[in-house]
Amino acid sequence: MLAQLTIKNFALIDDLNVNFDSGFTTITGETGAGKSILLGALSLVLGKRADLSTLKDPSKKCSIETEFSIGNYGLRGFFDENDLDFDELTIVRREILPSGKSRAFINDTPVTLDILSALGERLVDIHSQHQTLRMTENAFQFRVIDALADNNTLIQSYKGQLQYYSDAKKQLESLKDTRLAAEKELDYNSFLLRELEEAPLRKGVLEDLEGEYAELNDVENIMELLSNAHQLMNEEQMGVLSEIAQLKQLTQQLEAFGGKYLGLNERIQSVAIELEDVAAELEQLSESVEPNPSRLEEVNGQLQQLHDLLKKHQVSTVEELTKIKLELAEKVEISLNMDDSILKQESKVEELRNDLSEKAKEISDKRKKVIPLLQEQLTDNIIQLGMAAASFNIELQPTVRFKENGQDDLIFQFSANKGSSFGELKKVASGGELSRIMLAIKAILASYEKLPTLIFDEIDTGVSGEISNKMGSIMKGMGDQMQIFSITHLPQVASKGQQQFKVYKEEMGDSTTSHIRQLNDDERVKELAEMLDGKSFSASAVSHAKQLLLQN
């Protein structure tokens, strides 16, 4: 409920602070006194866009702050989702700076206008002409029926199932699109894959083949070099091995002359062993290396194959070709196994569709059960509001399409007079009739769902006498379930309030300021008498005013 409203530097208001109680509150005042200003300020703090024209003093900041008691509103999830501190007494503040910049805060945390507006919709419902027209919208009409049918939990479950179903259908369509594209590319992808599978794609293969090609391509030069090296090592007179043998003999003899020659001899012996190994390897290589034109041609072909593939796939390494081969293999595999995947997904979609249909039928069945009750309660309420011949015709029609709230189309029809045919509310009901129908609907909703604070802005315009008395009684009854405000010009309605506030203007010099204050019992009598008989009210008006208050 709205516990407190503070307004500074807004329109005709300098500084205003007012506390409200639960139940039914009426707000009265002369035309132009500033009742619409209060609603305008409240709309701003609930997320409506602002402009500089709202500042009473353009050089100062405008501030509007509200305190709401939200302990039983079920809003903890909203606060968690938006990373806000939850408090059962929540403070919502809106500031408009002289620069035109606007700021919004929830429990002193800065928030965007979208978050503020989303919270505002859950805190206050301002019943205006625009919202009366909302009653003619299908979504609002479904809300009424589903409140009576206690369908909210079931609809939330249905919505979750609908999301699964929609996602599964999208995945199925994606699989079908993938299969269609894969079928078009299957032959080409298979050809590319075979090419890569036939190529020697192993790590370092390019370097190995290039080295082997260089060796095979210059084998005669290699053979000549090996032969010359072998000859130098093994020549009888001047060969390296012959010379090293003589050197070994000399160092062996030197070894007899002391330890300092011992190391020298060991080193020569080691060199001799290494040179003998080199000579043996040269001999082995000389015998193994020979021209191999067929292998040269084979290596050349493999190199050409690899270079062609690198160029074709626009990559620079064999590793990248290997990656492409794996991707192509996966695409070919998907193409070959796509039918199985589609069959499985089709089965899943069908299962989800059946589950969804069952939930939709359950929702529809519960709606059908409460439609007679809703028609009866609406008719009873609307008769009390002076429309004795009015009647409603509410029908559900099944639809194949899965909608956000089930598989029903709703036809909500109205007839104001006996013998008149039923028609759509927005086409056959007048503005005054729509206002009374909305009040009747809201009175029903108040018994079935936790509504936010509800403000009726002159909903009683155009009615008088006993009908206004009935409207006031209905709003007072709603006040037993929720916090209700009624801005009214009718004393019969104003007298029903558990508390009554008066909005008035004061002129000081060149300045006009709006104020609001709660009326005590004597002030209520005077205010009601003025509403009944004018400023110069009579004794009978005072007596009538007292009687109105005593009746409530």
Side-chain angles (χ1 to χ4, degrees), residues 431-504:
E433 288 169 339
L434 283 175
S435 292
R436 280 181 273 181
I437 293 170
M438 177 60 100
L439 176 58
I441 288 175
K442 287 290 178 72
I444 294 170
L445 275 176
S447 300
Y448 290 93
E449 67 174 34
K450 194 67 183 179
L451 294 174
T453 293
L454 181 57
I455 300 175
F456 289 109
D457 183 14
E458 299 186 356
I459 192 175
D460 47 26
T461 299
V463 299
S464 58
E466 183 58 25
I467 303 305
S468 62
N469 191 53
K470 290 290 185 182
M471 293 184 79
S473 295
I474 288 175
M475 286 186 273
K476 182 180 179 182
M478 292 173 68
D480 294 336
Q481 307 291 330
M482 57 187 294
Q483 187 183 40
I484 298 286
F485 290 87
S486 178
I487 298 173
T488 182
H489 288 289
L490 297 179
Q492 293 89 343
V493 174
S495 65
K496 303 287 185 185
Q498 293 163 268
Q499 55 178 345
Q500 181 177 345
F501 288 83
K502 180 176 181 176
V503 178
Y504 61 97

Coordinates of all heavy atoms in Angstrom, one line a residue, residues 431-504:
G431 N -19.0 5.5 -22.7 CA -17.9 5.8 -21.8 C -18.4 5.6 -20.4 O -17.7 5.0 -19.5
G432 N -19.6 6.1 -20.0 CA -20.1 5.9 -18.7 C -20.4 4.5 -18.3 O -20.1 4.1 -17.2
E433 N -20.9 3.7 -19.3 CA -21.1 2.3 -19.0 C -19.8 1.6 -18.8 O -19.7 0.7 -18.0 CB -21.9 1.7 -20.2 CG -23.4 2.2 -20.2 CD -24.1 1.8 -21.5 OE1 -23.4 1.6 -22.6 OE2 -25.3 1.8 -21.5
L434 N -18.8 1.9 -19.6 CA -17.5 1.2 -19.5 C -16.9 1.5 -18.1 O -16.3 0.6 -17.5 CB -16.6 1.7 -20.6 CG -16.8 1.1 -22.0 CD1 -15.8 1.8 -23.0 CD2 -16.5 -0.4 -22.0
S435 N -17.1 2.7 -17.6 CA -16.5 3.0 -16.3 C -17.2 2.2 -15.2 O -16.5 1.6 -14.3 CB -16.7 4.5 -16.0 OG -15.9 5.3 -16.8
R436 N -18.5 2.0 -15.3 CA -19.2 1.2 -14.3 C -18.9 -0.2 -14.4 O -18.8 -1.0 -13.5 CB -20.7 1.5 -14.4 CG -21.1 2.8 -13.8 CD -22.6 3.1 -13.8 NE -23.0 3.8 -15.1 CZ -24.2 4.1 -15.4 NH1 -25.2 3.8 -14.6 NH2 -24.4 4.7 -16.5
I437 N -18.8 -0.7 -15.7 CA -18.4 -2.1 -15.9 C -17.0 -2.4 -15.3 O -16.8 -3.4 -14.7 CB -18.5 -2.5 -17.4 CG1 -19.9 -2.4 -17.9 CG2 -17.9 -3.9 -17.6 CD1 -20.0 -2.5 -19.4
M438 N -16.1 -1.5 -15.5 CA -14.7 -1.6 -15.0 C -14.8 -1.7 -13.5 O -14.1 -2.5 -12.9 CB -13.8 -0.5 -15.5 CG -12.4 -0.6 -14.9 SD -11.5 -2.1 -15.3 CE -10.5 -1.5 -16.7
L439 N -15.6 -0.8 -12.9 CA -15.7 -0.9 -11.4 C -16.2 -2.2 -11.0 O -15.7 -2.8 -10.0 CB -16.6 0.3 -10.9 CG -16.8 0.3 -9.4 CD1 -15.5 0.4 -8.6 CD2 -17.8 1.5 -9.1
A440 N -17.2 -2.7 -11.7 CA -17.8 -4.0 -11.3 C -16.7 -5.1 -11.5 O -16.7 -6.0 -10.6 CB -19.0 -4.3 -12.3
I441 N -15.9 -5.1 -12.5 CA -14.9 -6.1 -12.7 C -13.8 -6.0 -11.7 O -13.4 -7.0 -11.1 CB -14.3 -5.9 -14.1 CG1 -15.3 -6.4 -15.2 CG2 -13.0 -6.8 -14.3 CD1 -14.9 -6.2 -16.6
K442 N -13.4 -4.8 -11.4 CA -12.3 -4.6 -10.4 C -12.8 -5.1 -9.0 O -12.0 -5.6 -8.2 CB -11.9 -3.1 -10.3 CG -11.0 -2.7 -11.5 CD -9.7 -3.3 -11.4 CE -8.8 -2.9 -12.6 NZ -8.3 -1.6 -12.6
A443 N -14.1 -4.9 -8.7 CA -14.6 -5.3 -7.4 C -14.6 -6.9 -7.4 O -14.3 -7.4 -6.3 CB -16.1 -4.8 -7.3
I444 N -14.8 -7.5 -8.5 CA -14.7 -9.0 -8.5 C -13.3 -9.4 -8.4 O -13.0 -10.3 -7.6 CB -15.3 -9.5 -9.8 CG1 -16.8 -9.2 -9.9 CG2 -15.1 -11.0 -10.0 CD1 -17.5 -9.5 -11.2
L445 N -12.4 -8.8 -9.1 CA -10.9 -9.1 -9.1 C -10.4 -9.0 -7.7 O -9.5 -9.8 -7.2 CB -10.1 -8.2 -10.0 CG -10.1 -8.7 -11.5 CD1 -9.3 -7.6 -12.3 CD2 -9.4 -10.0 -11.6
A446 N -10.9 -8.0 -6.9 CA -10.3 -7.7 -5.6 C -10.5 -8.9 -4.7 O -9.8 -9.1 -3.7 CB -11.0 -6.5 -5.0
S447 N -11.5 -9.8 -5.0 CA -11.8 -10.9 -4.1 C -10.9 -12.2 -4.5 O -10.9 -13.1 -3.8 CB -13.3 -11.3 -4.2 OG -14.1 -10.2 -3.8
Y448 N -10.3 -12.1 -5.7 CA -9.6 -13.3 -6.2 C -8.1 -13.1 -6.4 O -7.4 -14.1 -6.5 CB -10.3 -13.7 -7.6 CG -11.7 -14.2 -7.4 CD1 -12.8 -13.4 -7.6 CD2 -11.9 -15.6 -7.2 CE1 -14.0 -13.9 -7.5 CE2 -13.2 -16.1 -7.1 CZ -14.3 -15.2 -7.2 OH -15.5 -15.7 -7.1
E449 N -7.6 -11.9 -6.5 CA -6.2 -11.7 -6.7 C -5.7 -10.5 -5.9 O -6.5 -9.6 -5.6 CB -5.8 -11.6 -8.1 CG -6.3 -10.4 -8.9 CD -5.7 -10.3 -10.3 OE1 -5.5 -11.3 -10.9 OE2 -5.5 -9.2 -10.7
K450 N -4.4 -10.5 -5.5 CA -3.9 -9.4 -4.7 C -3.6 -8.2 -5.7 O -2.6 -8.2 -6.4 CB -2.6 -9.9 -4.0 CG -2.1 -8.9 -2.9 CD -3.1 -8.9 -1.8 CE -2.7 -7.9 -0.7 NZ -3.6 -7.9 0.4
L451 N -4.5 -7.3 -5.7 CA -4.4 -6.1 -6.6 C -3.5 -5.1 -5.9 O -3.4 -5.0 -4.6 CB -5.7 -5.5 -6.9 CG -6.7 -6.4 -7.7 CD1 -8.0 -5.6 -7.8 CD2 -6.1 -6.6 -9.1
P452 N -2.8 -4.3 -6.6 CA -2.0 -3.2 -6.0 C -2.9 -2.1 -5.5 O -4.2 -2.2 -5.7 CB -1.1 -2.7 -7.2 CG -1.9 -3.0 -8.4 CD -2.7 -4.3 -8.1
T453 N -2.3 -1.0 -5.0 CA -3.1 0.2 -4.7 C -3.9 0.6 -5.9 O -3.3 0.8 -7.0 CB -2.2 1.3 -4.2 OG1 -1.6 0.9 -2.9 CG2 -3.0 2.6 -4.0
L454 N -5.2 0.9 -5.8 CA -6.0 1.2 -6.9 C -6.6 2.6 -6.7 O -7.1 3.0 -5.6 CB -7.2 0.2 -7.0 CG -8.2 0.4 -8.1 CD1 -7.5 0.4 -9.5 CD2 -9.2 -0.7 -8.1
I455 N -6.4 3.5 -7.7 CA -6.9 4.9 -7.6 C -7.9 5.1 -8.7 O -7.6 4.9 -9.9 CB -5.7 5.9 -7.8 CG1 -4.6 5.7 -6.7 CG2 -6.2 7.3 -7.8 CD1 -3.4 6.5 -6.9
F456 N -9.1 5.4 -8.3 CA -10.2 5.7 -9.3 C -10.2 7.3 -9.5 O -10.5 8.0 -8.5 CB -11.5 5.2 -8.8 CG -11.7 3.8 -8.8 CD1 -11.7 3.0 -7.6 CD2 -11.8 3.1 -10.0 CE1 -11.9 1.6 -7.7 CE2 -12.0 1.7 -10.0 CZ -12.0 1.0 -8.9
D457 N -10.0 7.7 -10.7 CA -9.9 9.1 -10.9 C -11.3 9.5 -11.6 O -11.5 9.4 -12.8 CB -8.8 9.4 -11.9 CG -8.7 10.9 -12.2 OD1 -9.3 11.7 -11.5 OD2 -8.0 11.3 -13.2
E458 N -12.2 10.0 -10.7 CA -13.5 10.5 -11.1 C -14.2 9.5 -11.9 O -14.8 9.8 -13.0 CB -13.3 11.9 -11.8 CG -12.7 12.9 -11.0 CD -12.7 14.3 -11.6 OE1 -13.1 14.4 -12.8 OE2 -12.3 15.3 -11.0
I459 N -14.2 8.2 -11.4 CA -14.9 7.2 -12.1 C -16.4 7.4 -12.0 O -17.2 6.9 -12.8 CB -14.6 5.8 -11.5 CG1 -15.1 4.7 -12.4 CG2 -15.1 5.7 -10.1 CD1 -14.7 3.3 -12.0
D460 N -16.9 8.2 -11.1 CA -18.3 8.5 -10.8 C -18.8 9.7 -11.7 O -20.0 10.1 -11.5 CB -18.6 8.7 -9.4 CG -17.6 9.7 -8.7 OD1 -17.0 10.6 -9.5 OD2 -17.3 9.6 -7.5
T461 N -18.0 10.2 -12.6 CA -18.5 11.3 -13.4 C -19.7 10.9 -14.2 O -19.8 9.8 -14.8 CB -17.4 11.7 -14.4 OG1 -16.3 12.2 -13.6 CG2 -17.9 12.9 -15.3
G462 N -20.8 11.8 -14.1 CA -22.0 11.5 -14.9 C -23.0 10.7 -14.2 O -24.1 10.4 -14.8
V463 N -22.7 10.3 -12.9 CA -23.8 9.5 -12.2 C -24.1 10.4 -10.9 O -23.4 11.3 -10.5 CB -23.2 8.1 -11.7 CG1 -22.9 7.3 -13.0 CG2 -22.0 8.3 -10.8
S464 N -25.2 10.0 -10.3 CA -25.7 10.8 -9.1 C -26.6 9.9 -8.4 O -26.9 8.8 -8.7 CB -26.3 12.1 -9.6 OG -27.4 11.8 -10.4
G465 N -27.1 10.5 -7.3 CA -28.2 9.9 -6.5 C -27.8 8.5 -6.0 O -26.7 8.3 -5.5
E466 N -28.7 7.6 -6.1 CA -28.6 6.2 -5.5 C -27.4 5.5 -6.2 O -26.7 4.7 -5.6 CB -29.9 5.4 -5.6 CG -29.8 4.1 -5.0 CD -29.4 4.1 -3.5 OE1 -29.7 5.1 -2.8 OE2 -28.9 3.1 -3.0
I467 N -27.2 5.7 -7.5 CA -26.1 5.0 -8.2 C -24.8 5.4 -7.7 O -23.9 4.6 -7.4 CB -26.2 5.3 -9.7 CG1 -27.6 5.0 -10.3 CG2 -25.1 4.6 -10.5 CD1 -28.0 3.5 -10.1
S468 N -24.6 6.7 -7.4 CA -23.3 7.1 -6.8 C -23.1 6.5 -5.4 O -22.0 6.2 -5.0 CB -23.3 8.7 -6.7 OG -24.3 9.2 -5.9
N469 N -24.2 6.4 -4.7 CA -24.2 5.7 -3.4 C -23.7 4.3 -3.5 O -22.9 3.8 -2.7 CB -25.5 5.8 -2.7 CG -25.5 5.4 -1.2 OD1 -24.7 6.0 -0.5 ND2 -26.3 4.5 -0.8
K470 N -24.2 3.6 -4.5 CA -23.9 2.2 -4.8 C -22.4 2.1 -5.2 O -21.7 1.2 -4.7 CB -24.7 1.6 -5.9 CG -26.2 1.3 -5.5 CD -26.3 0.2 -4.4 CE -27.7 -0.1 -4.1 NZ -27.8 -1.2 -3.1
M471 N -22.0 3.0 -6.0 CA -20.5 3.0 -6.4 C -19.6 3.2 -5.2 O -18.6 2.5 -5.1 CB -20.3 4.1 -7.5 CG -21.0 3.9 -8.8 SD -20.5 5.2 -10.0 CE -19.0 4.6 -10.6
G472 N -20.0 4.1 -4.4 CA -19.2 4.3 -3.2 C -19.2 3.1 -2.3 O -18.1 2.7 -1.7
S473 N -20.3 2.4 -2.2 CA -20.4 1.2 -1.4 C -19.5 0.1 -1.9 O -18.8 -0.7 -1.2 CB -21.8 0.7 -1.3 OG -22.6 1.6 -0.6
I474 N -19.5 0.0 -3.3 CA -18.7 -1.1 -3.9 C -17.2 -0.8 -3.7 O -16.4 -1.6 -3.3 CB -19.0 -1.1 -5.4 CG1 -20.3 -1.8 -5.6 CG2 -17.9 -1.9 -6.1 CD1 -20.8 -1.8 -7.1
M475 N -16.8 0.5 -3.8 CA -15.4 0.9 -3.6 C -15.0 0.7 -2.1 O -13.9 0.2 -1.8 CB -15.1 2.3 -4.0 CG -15.1 2.5 -5.5 SD -14.6 4.1 -6.1 CE -16.2 4.9 -6.1
K476 N -15.9 1.0 -1.2 CA -15.7 0.8 0.2 C -15.5 -0.7 0.5 O -14.6 -1.1 1.3 CB -16.8 1.3 1.0 CG -16.6 1.2 2.5 CD -17.8 1.8 3.3 CE -17.5 1.6 4.8 NZ -18.7 2.1 5.6
G477 N -16.3 -1.5 -0.1 CA -16.2 -3.0 0.0 C -14.8 -3.5 -0.5 O -14.2 -4.4 0.1
M478 N -14.4 -2.9 -1.6 CA -13.1 -3.3 -2.1 C -12.0 -2.9 -1.2 O -10.9 -3.6 -1.1 CB -12.8 -2.6 -3.5 CG -13.8 -3.1 -4.6 SD -13.6 -2.1 -6.1 CE -11.9 -2.6 -6.6
G479 N -12.2 -1.8 -0.4 CA -11.2 -1.4 0.5 C -10.9 -2.4 1.7 O -9.9 -2.3 2.3
D480 N -11.8 -3.3 1.8 CA -11.6 -4.4 2.8 C -10.5 -5.3 2.4 O -9.9 -6.0 3.2 CB -12.9 -5.2 3.1 CG -14.0 -4.3 3.8 OD1 -13.6 -3.3 4.4 OD2 -15.2 -4.6 3.6
Q481 N -10.3 -5.4 1.0 CA -9.3 -6.3 0.5 C -8.0 -5.6 0.1 O -7.0 -6.3 0.0 CB -9.9 -7.0 -0.8 CG -11.3 -7.6 -0.6 CD -11.2 -8.8 0.2 OE1 -10.2 -9.5 0.3 NE2 -12.3 -9.1 0.9
M482 N -8.1 -4.3 -0.2 CA -6.9 -3.6 -0.7 C -7.0 -2.1 -0.4 O -8.0 -1.7 0.1 CB -6.8 -3.8 -2.2 CG -8.1 -3.4 -2.9 SD -8.2 -3.8 -4.7 CE -6.9 -2.8 -5.3
Q483 N -6.0 -1.4 -0.8 CA -6.0 0.1 -0.6 C -6.7 0.7 -1.8 O -6.2 0.5 -2.9 CB -4.6 0.6 -0.4 CG -4.5 2.1 -0.1 CD -3.1 2.6 0.0 OE1 -2.3 2.3 -0.8 NE2 -2.8 3.5 1.0
I484 N -7.7 1.5 -1.6 CA -8.5 2.2 -2.6 C -8.5 3.7 -2.4 O -8.7 4.2 -1.3 CB -9.9 1.7 -2.7 CG1 -10.0 0.2 -2.9 CG2 -10.8 2.4 -3.7 CD1 -9.7 -0.2 -4.3
F485 N -8.2 4.4 -3.5 CA -8.4 5.9 -3.5 C -9.5 6.2 -4.5 O -9.5 5.6 -5.6 CB -7.1 6.6 -3.9 CG -6.0 6.5 -2.9 CD1 -5.2 5.5 -2.8 CD2 -5.9 7.5 -1.9 CE1 -4.1 5.4 -1.9 CE2 -4.9 7.5 -1.0 CZ -4.0 6.4 -1.0
S486 N -10.3 7.2 -4.2 CA -11.3 7.7 -5.2 C -11.2 9.2 -5.2 O -11.5 9.9 -4.1 CB -12.7 7.2 -4.8 OG -13.6 7.8 -5.8
I487 N -10.9 9.8 -6.3 CA -10.9 11.2 -6.5 C -12.3 11.5 -7.0 O -12.7 11.0 -8.1 CB -9.9 11.7 -7.5 CG1 -8.5 11.4 -6.9 CG2 -10.0 13.2 -7.8 CD1 -7.4 11.7 -7.9
T488 N -13.1 12.2 -6.2 CA -14.6 12.3 -6.5 C -15.1 13.7 -6.3 O -14.6 14.5 -5.6 CB -15.3 11.3 -5.7 OG1 -16.7 11.4 -6.0 CG2 -15.1 11.6 -4.2
H489 N -16.2 14.0 -7.1 CA -17.0 15.2 -6.9 C -18.3 14.9 -6.2 O -19.1 15.8 -6.0 CB -17.3 15.9 -8.2 CG -16.1 16.6 -8.8 ND1 -15.5 17.7 -8.3 CD2 -15.3 16.2 -9.9 CE1 -14.4 18.0 -9.0 NE2 -14.3 17.1 -10.0
L490 N -18.6 13.7 -5.9 CA -19.9 13.3 -5.3 C -19.8 13.1 -3.8 O -19.0 12.3 -3.3 CB -20.3 12.0 -6.0 CG -20.6 12.0 -7.5 CD1 -21.0 10.7 -8.0 CD2 -21.6 13.1 -7.8
P491 N -20.6 13.7 -3.1 CA -20.6 13.6 -1.6 C -21.0 12.2 -1.2 O -20.5 11.7 -0.1 CB -21.7 14.6 -1.1 CG -22.5 14.9 -2.3 CD -21.7 14.7 -3.5
Q492 N -21.9 11.5 -1.9 CA -22.2 10.1 -1.6 C -21.0 9.2 -1.6 O -20.9 8.3 -0.7 CB -23.3 9.6 -2.5 CG -24.6 10.3 -2.4 CD -24.7 11.5 -3.4 OE1 -23.7 12.0 -3.8 NE2 -25.9 12.0 -3.6
V493 N -20.1 9.4 -2.5 CA -18.9 8.6 -2.6 C -17.9 9.1 -1.6 O -17.3 8.3 -0.9 CB -18.3 8.7 -4.0 CG1 -16.9 8.0 -4.1 CG2 -19.2 8.1 -5.1
A494 N -17.7 10.4 -1.5 CA -16.7 10.9 -0.5 C -17.0 10.5 0.9 O -16.1 10.2 1.7 CB -16.7 12.5 -0.6
S495 N -18.3 10.4 1.3 CA -18.6 10.0 2.6 C -18.3 8.6 3.0 O -18.2 8.3 4.2 CB -20.1 10.3 2.8 OG -20.9 9.4 2.0
K496 N -18.1 7.7 2.0 CA -17.8 6.3 2.2 C -16.4 6.1 2.7 O -16.0 5.0 3.2 CB -18.1 5.5 1.0 CG -19.5 5.6 0.4 CD -20.5 4.9 1.2 CE -21.9 4.9 0.5 NZ -22.9 4.4 1.3
G497 N -15.5 7.1 2.5 CA -14.1 6.9 2.8 C -13.8 6.7 4.3 O -14.4 7.4 5.1
Q498 N -12.9 5.8 4.6 CA -12.5 5.7 6.0 C -11.7 6.9 6.4 O -11.6 7.3 7.5 CB -11.7 4.4 6.1 CG -12.5 3.2 5.9 CD -11.6 1.9 5.7 OE1 -11.3 1.6 4.6 NE2 -11.2 1.3 6.8
Q499 N -11.1 7.6 5.4 CA -10.4 8.8 5.6 C -10.7 9.7 4.4 O -10.9 9.2 3.3 CB -8.9 8.7 5.9 CG -8.2 7.9 4.8 CD -6.7 7.8 5.1 OE1 -6.1 8.6 6.0 NE2 -6.0 6.9 4.4
Q500 N -10.7 11.0 4.6 CA -11.0 11.9 3.5 C -10.0 13.0 3.4 O -9.7 13.6 4.5 CB -12.4 12.5 3.6 CG -12.8 13.4 2.5 CD -14.2 13.9 2.6 OE1 -15.1 13.4 3.3 NE2 -14.6 15.0 1.8
F501 N -9.5 13.3 2.3 CA -8.5 14.4 2.1 C -9.1 15.5 1.2 O -9.9 15.1 0.3 CB -7.2 13.9 1.4 CG -6.3 13.0 2.4 CD1 -6.6 11.7 2.6 CD2 -5.3 13.6 3.1 CE1 -5.8 10.9 3.4 CE2 -4.5 12.9 3.9 CZ -4.8 11.5 4.1
K502 N -8.7 16.7 1.4 CA -9.1 17.8 0.6 C -7.9 18.4 -0.1 O -6.9 18.7 0.5 CB -9.9 18.8 1.4 CG -10.4 20.0 0.5 CD -11.2 21.0 1.3 CE -11.7 22.1 0.4 NZ -12.6 23.1 1.2
V503 N -8.0 18.6 -1.4 CA -7.0 19.4 -2.2 C -7.5 20.8 -2.4 O -8.7 21.0 -2.8 CB -6.8 18.7 -3.5 CG1 -5.7 19.4 -4.3 CG2 -6.3 17.2 -3.3
Y504 N -6.7 21.8 -2.1 CA -7.1 23.2 -2.2 C -5.9 24.0 -2.7 O -4.8 23.6 -2.5 CB -7.7 23.7 -0.9 CG -6.8 23.6 0.2 CD1 -6.1 24.8 0.6 CD2 -6.6 22.4 1.0 CE1 -5.2 24.7 1.7 CE2 -5.7 22.4 2.0 CZ -5.0 23.6 2.4 OH -4.1 23.5 3.4

